[in-house]
Amino acid sequence: ELLKQTLQSIKNQSFQDWECLVVDDGSTVPIKPVVDGMEDARFVFHRFEENRGIPHGANWCYKKAKGEFIQTLGCDEFIWEKKFEVQVSFLDKFQDVDCVWGVPGNGQMGPVPSWEQYTLKAHNRSNAHWVKNLLLLEGVPIGGGSALWRTEVFDSIGYFDPQLTAFSDHEWFVRFFELHS
């Protein structure tokens, strides 16, 4: 049911020029019928026979993605219906920005006032400040569900460490903030 809601939140996007690569990483849950039930060719299903961890499936998607931007979602994450429209418009307008994301948590979706961004420690920071936060694991509001990356970021710095199976690749984010904005 959660996956169905996740896929529906993608299908409901006001920005319609997207593809969604759904990876089943060797689960015992029948994922393919949920994807097929969306009745939309923009959903592309792939299954690995054995579980190899989140980074393996994510990296597979990053390498196969055809678009200019990459958005990752877990099977229990939902996005605001204007997310792609707003974030793509921003990235198109500001070509020197390589990623945008929202605030962490499960609150109201959509634009967030500045005071709330600061309260959640999700405000814009310098690249050096981000690297410090990531290295010290202080106030790290980075969540995959809200990020929209330029595909070229992965081409320039590589992919997530496939050895990590239980948490985010902080070293990847450090490389990102050292080289991108």
Side-chain angles (χ1 to χ4, degrees):
E1 190 57 37
L2 287 174
L3 176 60
K4 184 189 272 184
Q5 291 175 41
T6 297
L7 299 181
Q8 191 63 51
S9 76
I10 296 167
K11 192 171 182 174
N12 291 346
Q13 290 296 299
S14 56
F15 181 89
Q16 290 288 304
D17 186 16
W18 53 262
E19 70 172 339
C20 177
L21 305 175
V22 180
V23 173
D24 178 347
D25 192 21
S27 73
T28 58
V29 177
I31 304 287
K32 189 169 183 346
V34 176
V35 176
D36 291 344
M38 297 309 293
E39 298 180 346
D40 191 322
R42 295 175 294 177
F43 290 104
V44 178
F45 178 79
H46 180 77
R47 176 174 167 73
F48 293 108
E49 289 304 315
E50 65 181 43
N51 184 299
R52 295 166 72 183
I54 292 171
H56 177 74
N59 288 341
W60 184 89
C61 287
Y62 299 151
K63 292 173 186 175
K64 299 289 183 188
K66 297 174 188 161
E68 182 181 354
F69 306 107
I70 293 177
Q71 160 75 58
T72 59
L73 287 173
C75 66
D76 60 349
E77 296 178 303
F78 321 117
I79 53 177
W80 178 50
E81 67 272 1
K82 293 187 180 275
K83 179 193 188 307
F84 292 167
E85 177 185 340
V86 169
Q87 289 184 329
V88 167
S89 175
F90 182 88
L91 289 169
D92 282 345
K93 183 176 179 179
F94 298 98
Q95 294 290 314
D96 60 330
V97 175
D98 297 312
C99 176
V100 292
W101 59 76
V103 298
N106 295 319
Q108 174 100 19
M109 292 188 194
V112 177
S114 295
W115 70 265
E116 189 172 349
Q117 294 174 36
Y118 278 92
T119 301
L120 294 170
K121 298 183 179 176
H123 55 287
N124 288 332
R125 305 172 188 176
S126 70
N127 285 24
H129 191 182
W130 275 113
V131 170
K132 177 185 173 205
N133 289 143
L134 288 160
L135 292 174
L136 299 176
L137 297 178
E138 294 176 347
V140 180
I142 296 173
S146 66
L148 186 68
W149 308 91
R150 291 190 190 279
T151 305
E152 64 194 28
V153 165
F154 293 91
D155 296 335
S156 73
I157 64 173
Y159 302 93
F160 293 146
D161 183 345
Q163 302 298 319
L164 303 174
T165 58
F167 53 87
S168 291
D169 185 348
H170 279 79
E171 192 273 333
W172 185 92
F173 286 99
V174 170
R175 284 189 317 222
F176 171 79
F177 285 110
E178 286 179 332
L179 301 171
H180 293 276
S181 56

